[in-house]
Amino acid sequence: MGGMITCPRYEKESIGRQKLISSVFEFNGGKTPYVIYDANYWLFGEARERIPLDYCSEDPASMVRYQQTKIDRHMKTYADAYIPFLMPWYGTGVLASGFGIKVIHQDYMDPAVDMPTIQNIEQLKDLKKPDPEKDGLMPRVLNTIRYMKKHTDLPVGVTDCQGVLTTALQIVGYEKMIYWMHDYPNQVHDLLGMITDVLIDWVKIQKKAAGQAMEDDAYVLGVKIPAGYGGVWFSDDDAVIFGPELYKEFIVPCNSRLLKAFGGGAIHYCGNANQHLGNYLYTEGLTAVHNMCIDDLDGAAKAKKAFTEKGIVYITADFNLSAERIDGYYQELFRKMDTRGLIVVSYIAPATQLNHGKYESASLDPEKTGRAIEAAINRYNHS
């Protein structure tokens, strides 16, 4: 199954929205598509009273109800570029859990990885490739995908996809990994190569269970990558703390291999990783970058310009801002960035707000906040 992915309830809307996003990847210009993403599948920033305690349990029914309710509400409220899908969400440590890293479940919070268990370089040779049907949270993800396919008419994405770098750091730890890159480069290359192999296989297994095309059907933090531009996305948040030389030597080849395995795709990172612009521009298979710029519009504009010149789509995103800053933020965004190859996303999180690069506790009306952001985007979004 490939090409246009729709569901009976939202077939007309999905087709139109996919055409709109496809035009961005074709660099046709015009107004910038935007997404008011209030259908978040993660729990960060959600109001506590809205979170079901059994959301990430072994029974996927609660997760499906929670996500479907959000999707239905969104589709009645916004005429943006969001394309509905379901996400088997169990935090950012699913693949690491397959390697034996403990995942901590706390009420009203997203699952999170515990401390790494690897203490010395000799332990790396004992790491085994996980069995997706038996190890860590991987079986729970597959069970959820199968449940979603059986009980709904919505497309189903793969679970959160942490890239090779982040997965290695979850297994080994930050300090040890950086030291070992210098002291034991051959062993680190072997580790990263194995993780790349495992991640490719893991995505393929999920896609098969979900009935997805291998080179299509990627949803980078909720944004559908159109057919013809790749079938995978992954998070690369830890790139921001690495220098370009180590990253080029150890990570770029792995990222290229992962992207090429699915005909291309997207990389996500939070913050400013402009030290890696050269690395990203020459990463094979990269068709889009999704960047939560965390209020750094100057850094985002620099990245966007570089990616546009290379024909790579730039998806700029942030969580909702404090109310008094919404208008000025989007005015500045569209003043600093041209519309070619640009998609704008705002993630609605009623229990938090972004204020000058920092997250603050908040108690927001999500629909009122989303509509204010949509109005600001439309006010300044000109071709």
Side-chain angles (χ1 to χ4, degrees):
M1 183 173 67
M4 293 293 187
I5 303 299
T6 62
C7 64
R9 280 178 294 167
Y10 301 121
E11 181 173 0
K12 182 178 179 180
E13 295 95 328
S14 293
I15 290 173
R17 294 171 185 201
Q18 289 184 74
K19 288 180 178 177
L20 184 62
I21 293 175
S22 293
S23 71
V24 177
F25 280 75
E26 295 162 3
F27 282 81
N28 288 337
K31 284 191 174 183
T32 297
Y34 66 90
V35 176
I36 308 298
Y37 199 73
D38 63 341
N40 305 354
Y41 47 80
W42 56 80
L43 302 180
F44 170 79
E46 182 58 274
R48 184 184 177 102
E49 64 272 13
R50 296 171 180 258
I51 298 173
L53 272 175
D54 57 349
Y55 181 66
C56 292
S57 69
E58 294 185 12
D59 182 359
S62 176
M63 182 177 293
V64 170
R65 288 193 299 270
Y66 179 84
Q67 292 187 20
Q68 281 189 315
T69 299
K70 281 191 164 190
I71 290 167
D72 290 339
R73 184 172 61 241
H74 177 98
M75 298 301 286
K76 294 174 183 176
T77 306
Y78 300 105
D80 58 0
Y82 170 67
I83 296 168
F85 77 108
L86 293 174
M87 165 64 141
W89 169 252
Y90 293 96
T92 60
V94 171
L95 187 58
S97 77
F99 284 99
I101 303 302
K102 182 181 178 182
V103 173
I104 300 172
H105 296 262
Q106 299 185 73
D107 292 346
Y108 308 108
M109 297 177 67
D110 296 304
V113 292
D114 202 351
M115 299 297 290
T117 55
I118 298 290
Q119 298 302 322
N120 59 70
I121 194 70
E122 288 77 18
Q123 289 177 276
L124 291 183
K125 68 179 184 299
D126 298 324
L127 279 178
K128 304 292 189 231
K129 292 184 177 181
D131 182 341
E133 298 287 354
K134 296 180 180 179
D135 293 328
L137 291 174
M138 300 169 85
R140 194 177 301 190
V141 168
L142 292 177
N143 179 57
T144 299
I145 291 173
R146 293 162 183 152
Y147 181 94
M148 289 172 168
K149 286 294 295 178
K150 181 178 180 180
H151 294 278
T152 79
D153 59 0
L154 287 163
V156 180
V158 302
T159 196
D160 180 85
C161 190
Q162 295 298 305
V164 175
L165 174 60
T166 298
T167 301
L169 292 169
Q170 290 173 334
I171 295 170
V172 170
Y174 287 79
E175 287 189 12
K176 291 192 292 290
M177 175 60 73
I178 293 170
Y179 280 121
W180 292 353
M181 284 177 165
H182 291 282
D183 297 339
Y184 306 102
N186 292 336
Q187 289 93 324
V188 172
H189 278 298
D190 289 344
L191 170 67
L192 296 172
M194 181 180 71
I195 293 173
T196 304
D197 292 338
V198 170
L199 183 51
I200 290 170
D201 290 343
W202 174 227
V203 173
K204 286 181 177 179
I205 289 166
Q206 291 177 84
K207 280 179 164 285
K208 183 177 180 181
Q212 290 188 1
M214 292 298 159
E215 297 189 356
D216 188 13
D217 308 332
Y219 301 83
V220 53
L221 271 75
V223 180
K224 173 74 166 62
I225 304 300
Y229 295 92
V232 70
W233 72 275
F234 61 89
S235 290
D236 199 32
D237 289 315
D238 293 298
V240 301
I241 65 171
F242 275 78
E245 293 80 13
L246 283 177
Y247 189 88
K248 180 180 181 180
E249 177 185 352
F250 287 94
I251 307 304
V252 171
C254 299
N255 289 350
S256 294
R257 188 149 66 90
L258 174 58
L259 290 168
K260 289 194 297 180
F262 298 94
I267 294 177
H268 157 79
Y269 61 88
C270 289
N272 186 324
N274 284 356
Q275 75 271 31
H276 296 306
L277 287 179
N279 285 327
Y280 284 136
L281 293 175
Y282 293 99
T283 297
E284 298 176 75
L286 183 62
T287 62
V289 168
H290 179 290
N291 177 209
M292 299 275 280
C293 67
I294 315 180
D295 229 343
D296 180 6
L297 291 177
D298 287 327
K302 180 179 179 181
K304 198 274 177 187
K305 184 175 186 295
F307 290 126
T308 298
E309 290 174 353
K310 190 72 172 180
I312 296 170
V313 166
Y314 184 67
I315 305 169
T316 185
D318 263 331
F319 280 98
N320 43 231
L321 295 100
S322 55
E324 68 275 7
R325 293 196 57 232
I326 290 173
D327 188 85
Y329 175 93
Y330 288 100
Q331 182 180 28
E332 184 180 4
L333 187 156
F334 285 105
R335 179 175 62 83
K336 292 183 174 181
M337 301 185 202
D338 67 80
T339 59
R340 290 187 313 120
L342 178 67
I343 299 172
V344 175
V345 186
S346 178
Y347 293 96
I348 306 302
T352 192
Q353 62 186 11
L354 180 62
N355 194 5
H356 297 290
K358 297 181 180 180
Y359 293 121
E360 302 173 338
S361 295
S363 182
L364 306 175
D365 179 322
E367 184 173 328
K368 182 179 179 181
T369 301
R371 287 190 179 278
I373 293 170
E374 183 176 45
I377 291 173
N378 287 326
R379 191 174 301 121
Y380 300 111
N381 183 10
H382 305 292
S383 59

